[in-house]
Amino acid sequence: MLYQVVMDVKIPRDLPEDERTQVLAREKAYSQDLQRQGKWRHIWRVAGQYANISIFDVQDNAELHQILSGLPLFPFMEIKVTPLLRHPSAIRDDDS
């Protein structure tokens, strides 16, 4: 199943710099691994915000929840999830 996930990141300003650096490094490694697996298909930065819009391709709601709750930045995020369905007018075969 495909999902659009909007992640708005709100890292506390008083988070110690070394902790911030570590959590960001873990987040990058975790997200890139999911991208290599094909589960995190697309990620786009939202201009002017510390946010992204991503497309996930996972088996079901439970898998998506497990992935999102495993994000190192999860405690600092507001997340909105929208399930997606292939549009009948779509012409590409690789977007299902």
Side-chain angles (χ1 to χ4, degrees), residues 2-96:
L2 294 178
Y3 296 88
Q4 173 191 299
V5 180
V6 178
M7 297 177 230
D8 188 8
V9 183
K10 299 184 184 302
I11 299 175
R13 293 186 185 270
D14 61 348
L15 189 69
E17 187 60 34
D18 61 331
E19 189 175 338
R20 177 185 173 97
T21 300
Q22 290 174 9
V23 75
L24 290 173
R26 290 194 327 267
E27 180 81 11
K28 184 174 184 176
Y30 183 77
S31 68
Q32 288 182 344
D33 182 53
L34 290 165
Q35 289 174 67
R36 286 184 197 95
Q37 292 178 46
K39 294 179 184 291
W40 196 325
R41 288 194 37 189
H42 301 280
I43 182 170
W44 293 278
R45 169 80 62 209
V46 177
Q49 300 177 34
Y50 195 3
N52 72 71
I53 297 174
S54 294
I55 304 296
F56 285 83
D57 187 357
V58 294
Q59 184 176 355
D60 54 26
N61 295 339
E63 183 180 14
L64 180 64
H65 179 76
Q66 180 182 12
I67 287 170
L68 296 178
S69 61
L71 289 166
L73 285 173
F74 181 77
F76 311 119
M77 291 181 171
E78 292 179 12
I79 299 175
K80 295 179 186 171
V81 175
T82 304
L84 300 174
L85 180 63
R86 181 178 170 84
H87 195 282
S89 296
I91 61 170
R92 292 189 181 157
D93 292 332
D94 66 345
D95 64 354
S96 56

